[in-house]
Amino acid sequence: SPSHIQQPSPGTAQHLLGSPNYRASNTSQPAGQFSQSPNNANKTRAPRHSTTLFINRLMLDTLLSSYNNPFTCDNINTTPDKRRCCVLENLLSACLLKRHIASTATPDKMRNLLSIRSNELMSTSLLHSDLCFYRFSIEANNFQSLQLSITPTKDGFWSKNMIDTLVVYFAEKIAVNPFKCNALISFLRILGAPKEILQQFINIMSFELKPDSRFQWSLKWFPLVPPVVQSQNNVLQPGMCGALFSNHKILFFIQLEHPSRPNNPVTIPMVFESQTGTTKRAGAELMPNDYMAQRIQNHFRHVTAQILEQGGQPGPSSICNYIVELLQKLDPTIPVGA
């Protein structure tokens, strides 16, 4: 049982996290003396740090010393969807999610977002974009969650509110148990988007985290394809990444909720077209028989007309204009027979 496992001395976890020279194997050979000659190619090699090593050493010092029994529900956390999970599950999930970040942010998978090797043993994934560094690290006090921090590299774009919104949204909506890798991929795609697109999605996240009293609807962004989507030929299936980028289009999903219809939210597949600069509701093939579709399209046409009347041109910076129009003016009444 865990009570019979000898616990490491205090400070072991901090030593493992902070020492870039930590060796993964108990060998007497000094660091740096692994042979690189072809004759010794199949002999001793420099060990590679793994999640297994990280958990074995770190778990003993933190979980067994901080909790009575991390392998049972004596110590549990309640997730946003009311699941109960033990502290060991949280640690394993956070490690898995962090490793997935490094493997996902590659040039062939992500635009303008590159993974940088970090010196800190198994505790950090560092990503770089044209605007900043994104640092994902396992929370150092209890090792129960993954945290995001942002270091701007370009002046004039970032504000404290924008950074706080991304950090809080990641902590409360993305890096929560049960962890969903596809939701993480959608979030990373947003981080690697052009700055005009990134700013619009930060505004969308802000609307969700801090609802505006001027809006009659509340907003939720779907990082996953929602269950109500019925794509032809199964091109899109519920649970897939909900932020899709192509050369000229961006597809994403939002949900509107109104107090007068608590069990009947409105899910909207939205498309931004970079060639025309307009935002519109996606085609009916994604959500057939949606009685709100025509109302939504009418509002979107109205926003486009307003922008043109004011002498402007629709573009990526106007995405939130279309969403705000719905939040303020969309009629919540349900037609007879709908």
Side-chain angles (χ1 to χ4, degrees), residues 44-85:
T44 308
R45 290 180 178 271
R48 299 179 64 183
H49 300 304
S50 66
T51 301
T52 303
L53 168 67
F54 173 76
I55 293 173
N56 287 343
R57 300 301 181 94
L58 188 59
M59 179 182 64
L60 293 176
D61 188 37
T62 56
L63 300 186
L64 297 183
S65 61
S66 302
Y67 303 95
N68 294 328
N69 188 346
F71 303 94
T72 70
C73 287
D74 292 340
N75 296 281
I76 57 94
N77 294 304
T78 302
T79 65
D81 62 352
K82 308 304 180 184
R83 289 181 64 250
R84 289 161 59 88
C85 57

Side-chain angles (χ1 to χ4, degrees), residues 9 29 39 53 89 104 111 116 123 148 178 191 197 204 222 224 235 246 250 269 274 283-284 287 294-295 300-301 317:
S9 59
Q29 186 174 7
N39 295 333
L53 168 67
E89 181 182 354
T104 300
R111 298 183 178 186
I116 300 175
S123 65
L148 167 65
L191 297 186
I197 301 295
I204 293 173
F222 275 114
L224 301 175
V235 176
S246 68
I250 300 175
S274 59
M287 294 181 59
Q294 188 59 49
R295 295 183 190 178
F300 284 0
R301 294 192 189 99
S317 59

Side-chain angles (χ1 to χ4, degrees), residues 80 168-176 178 180 183 208-209 220-221 223:
V168 173
Y169 194 92
F170 179 78
E172 295 185 0
K173 306 294 183 178
I174 305 297
V176 292
K180 301 179 179 67
E208 180 175 349
L209 295 174
K220 178 181 180 181
W221 170 55

Side-chain angles (χ1 to χ4, degrees), residues 33-322:
Q33 293 189 9
F34 295 98
S35 174
Q36 302 296 324
S37 65
N39 295 333
N40 295 327
N42 296 325
K43 297 182 180 180
T44 308
R45 290 180 178 271
R48 299 179 64 183
H49 300 304
S50 66
T51 301
T52 303
L53 168 67
F54 173 76
I55 293 173
N56 287 343
R57 300 301 181 94
L58 188 59
M59 179 182 64
L60 293 176
D61 188 37
T62 56
L63 300 186
L64 297 183
S65 61
S66 302
Y67 303 95
N68 294 328
N69 188 346
F71 303 94
T72 70
C73 287
D74 292 340
N75 296 281
I76 57 94
N77 294 304
T78 302
T79 65
D81 62 352
K82 308 304 180 184
R83 289 181 64 250
R84 289 161 59 88
C85 57
C86 67
V87 293
L88 177 60
E89 181 182 354
N90 278 337
L91 173 60
L92 290 169
S93 300
C95 290
L96 176 64
L97 200 65
K98 188 191 67 62
R99 291 190 67 186
H100 196 67
I101 291 173
S103 63
T104 300
T106 58
D108 59 321
K109 296 179 181 179
M110 290 288 168
R111 298 183 178 186
N112 307 320
L113 197 63
L114 297 178
S115 176
I116 300 175
R117 188 181 297 275
S118 176
N119 290 329
E120 298 175 70
L121 173 62
M122 289 307 300
S123 65
T124 301
S125 285
L126 188 64
L127 305 183
H128 176 254
S129 73
D130 295 336
L131 300 172
C132 65
F133 288 99
Y134 299 106
R135 181 178 182 270
F136 299 87
S137 57
I138 295 178
E139 201 275 326
N141 291 327
N142 56 20
F143 305 96
Q144 290 295 286
S145 62
L146 197 63
Q147 295 179 328
L148 167 65
S149 61
I150 299 174
T151 304
T153 58
K154 185 172 292 187
D155 296 333
F157 175 75
W158 292 99
S159 66
K160 184 179 184 302
N161 183 60
M162 293 170 63
I163 293 176
D164 290 344
T165 298
L166 275 179
V167 170
V168 173
Y169 194 92
F170 179 78
E172 295 185 0
K173 306 294 183 178
I174 305 297
V176 292
N177 202 309
F179 294 88
K180 301 179 179 67
C181 289
N182 283 342
L184 172 66
I185 293 175
S186 293
F187 187 80
L188 294 179
R189 287 175 177 172
I190 299 303
L191 297 186
K195 63 179 182 179
E196 295 85 359
I197 301 295
L198 173 60
Q199 187 166 29
Q200 295 299 296
F201 272 92
I202 292 177
N203 291 339
I204 293 173
M205 296 175 191
S206 179
F207 294 157
E208 180 175 349
L209 295 174
K210 301 176 181 179
D212 195 315
S213 58
R214 298 173 299 171
F215 300 157
Q216 61 169 326
W217 295 82
S218 60
L219 173 70
K220 178 181 180 181
W221 170 55
F222 275 114
L224 301 175
V225 176
V228 295
V229 170
Q230 301 175 15
S231 175
Q232 295 180 351
N233 301 322
N234 292 325
V235 176
L236 284 179
Q237 296 182 2
M240 294 176 62
C241 295
L244 304 177
F245 288 70
S246 68
N247 291 332
H248 304 295
K249 294 182 179 181
I250 300 175
L251 172 66
F252 61 100
F253 299 86
I254 63 173
Q255 179 176 281
L256 306 184
E257 297 180 351
H258 195 276
S260 66
R261 41 189 297 169
N263 299 320
N264 195 359
V266 177
T267 302
I268 308 173
M270 300 188 63
V271 174
F272 168 74
E273 297 182 348
S274 59
Q275 291 180 319
T276 62
T278 58
T279 302
K280 61 182 182 181
R281 186 189 181 279
E285 64 274 6
L286 289 181
M287 294 181 59
N289 304 320
D290 182 8
Y291 63 87
M292 298 292 286
Q294 188 59 49
R295 295 183 190 178
I296 294 170
Q297 281 294 82
N298 291 339
H299 281 287
F300 284 0
R301 294 192 189 99
H302 175 68
V303 173
T304 302
Q306 277 188 325
I307 294 175
L308 295 176
E309 289 175 1
Q310 296 172 0
Q313 288 294 328
S317 59
S318 63
I319 292 177
C320 280
N321 293 10
Y322 294 87

